[in-house]
Amino acid sequence: MQQSLPTPASTYRPSYIPPEPVAIPTKKKTVLKIDTSKVVSGSLVSHKAFGTGQVVGIDGGLIIVDFKGVKKKFQFPGAFEQGFLKAND
């Protein structure tokens, strides 16, 4: 009777082993609650880059503002809460 020899262990090693992902704690941005009830069509609003514009309309979750002939769409009321738009009183 012959003795069986142990099988050699696998010597395969991949050339690249990706690193384990590290969980990075994220900071939540604070969202300010701003009263946008007075923002209606015809109201004046300000934007840092575009300047002062006039609200053309509010359709669902979008607000359309005319900045000197250029109409831009923003999320409503998110654009005010995130600081992109500011209501002129």
Side-chain angles (χ1 to χ4, degrees):
M1 196 158 134
Q2 285 186 340
Q3 286 184 334
S4 62
L5 297 175
T7 57
S10 174
T11 59
Y12 170 74
R13 294 186 189 191
S15 60
Y16 173 73
I17 300 173
E20 293 291 324
V22 178
I24 300 173
T26 57
K27 292 182 181 178
K28 285 190 173 184
K29 290 185 178 181
T30 55
V31 177
L32 300 175
K33 288 295 180 186
I34 296 178
D35 181 23
T36 56
S37 62
K38 295 180 183 177
V39 178
V40 293
S41 185
S43 298
L44 293 178
V45 295
S46 295
H47 187 275
K48 288 182 181 180
F50 304 124
T52 303
Q54 185 173 15
V55 176
V56 175
I58 301 172
D59 183 27
L62 292 176
I63 183 169
I64 304 166
V65 183
D66 184 8
F67 296 100
K68 299 178 184 173
V70 179
K71 294 181 181 171
K72 299 284 183 179
K73 294 180 182 179
F74 300 94
Q75 289 182 350
F76 184 75
F80 290 94
E81 294 170 349
Q82 296 172 358
F84 292 108
L85 292 177
K86 189 174 178 182
N88 291 355
D89 294 331

